[in-house]
Amino acid sequence: MTTTTWKRALVLILGIAINALGIVLITKANLGTTAVSSLPLVLSLATPLSLGTLLFIFNSVYIIGQMVLYRRDFQAWQWLQLGVNLILSLVTDWSAAALDWLQPAHLWSQVLCLIIGCAVLAFGIALEVAADWLYVSAEGIVQAISTCFAWPFGRVKIAFDGTITGLAVVFSFLLLGGLEGVGWGTLLSAFLIGRFVALYQKNLPVLGQVAAWKERDRI
């Protein structure tokens, strides 16, 4: 691995850790977490397993899904996603423990917490995209479905997120007797995260510098 490759890997690790913090902040708002995290969150509320543990389990299943879809085209180095998942899961649980004191009691404070969480998560995603090294497995499975069935990535992403959110709603009523972990904040976060990512990519030159490292690796 070249020096720039190691730098990209470190940026990826930083981005994943920031992602985890953003997920926790959004969850703390208690208005509904991100679509991909909704089902793990519901199950964490209904079982002794932590959100971080369930995120690791789900993301590991997504890697297996990629392997099944790609078959012989699945590259062994993609198993490194397990390391990415481990970092995401550990930092999620550490952040949740560190922010245990954070309990927004009013709507304005909940909305503020949600917006800050979206901004933090979006920054992590922007770093992840700039590094362009590995991705969280939830994005990897969407890419695999899109590639193998020749379906547009955007449509697959919408369908995937909608399916996870729908399952979260179903399991919430079955296991918790009401709607937990999913709310209007889930929709708002989906809108805000994309806007924040675009804002960072347009206004933070450092992201372009990180992206340029990949071109150096090709030389």
Side-chain angles (χ1 to χ4, degrees):
M1 294 176 66
T2 65
T3 301
T4 50
T5 300
W6 279 112
K7 288 180 179 179
R8 288 166 59 204
L10 291 174
V11 171
L12 170 67
I13 292 172
L14 176 61
I16 295 301
I18 293 174
N19 284 354
L21 176 59
I23 290 172
V24 171
L25 286 169
I26 293 171
T27 302
K28 281 288 184 179
N30 200 29
L31 298 172
T33 188
T34 63
V36 173
S37 305
S38 59
L39 184 53
L41 176 60
V42 168
L43 294 179
S44 73
L45 296 174
T47 68
L49 299 177
S50 68
L51 175 58
T53 299
L54 284 160
L55 283 173
F56 183 81
I57 292 172
F58 272 77
N59 281 317
S60 297
V61 171
Y62 296 150
I63 296 176
I64 295 173
Q66 293 173 52
M67 183 178 66
V68 171
L69 288 169
Y70 284 128
R71 299 183 183 180
R72 294 181 180 179
D73 292 331
F74 183 80
Q75 298 175 322
W77 65 270
Q78 287 292 342
W79 285 108
L80 290 174
Q81 290 178 71
L82 283 172
V84 172
N85 296 339
L86 182 61
I87 294 170
L88 177 70
S89 302
L90 289 175
V91 179
T92 295
D93 283 346
W94 293 341
S95 298
L99 295 174
D100 185 60
W101 56 271
L102 182 60
Q103 302 292 337
H106 305 285
L107 181 60
W108 69 266
S109 58
Q110 290 177 290
V111 172
L112 179 61
C113 187
L114 176 70
I115 293 174
I116 293 174
C118 289
V120 171
L121 177 55
F123 184 58
I125 292 173
L127 289 175
E128 181 185 348
V129 171
D132 194 18
W133 200 63
L134 279 174
Y135 291 88
V136 176
S137 304
E139 302 300 325
I141 187 64
V142 171
Q143 182 63 59
I145 295 171
S146 174
T147 300
C148 293
F149 293 97
W151 294 338
F153 180 89
R155 293 183 182 179
V156 176
K157 175 62 174 172
I158 292 172
F160 180 82
D161 287 355
T163 299
I164 296 298
T165 303
L167 288 172
V169 171
V170 171
F171 277 95
S172 180
F173 280 101
L174 288 177
L175 300 177
L176 301 172
L179 188 60
E180 300 284 345
V182 180
W184 58 268
T186 303
L187 297 175
L188 182 59
S189 65
F191 173 81
L192 289 176
I193 291 169
R195 298 302 183 276
F196 275 123
V197 169
L199 182 66
Y200 295 143
Q201 290 176 330
K202 182 178 180 180
N203 295 284
L204 294 180
V206 66
L207 296 177
Q209 295 170 9
V210 172
W213 291 342
K214 182 177 180 179
E215 296 303 319
R216 295 182 189 177
D217 285 342
R218 291 175 176 174
I219 298 176

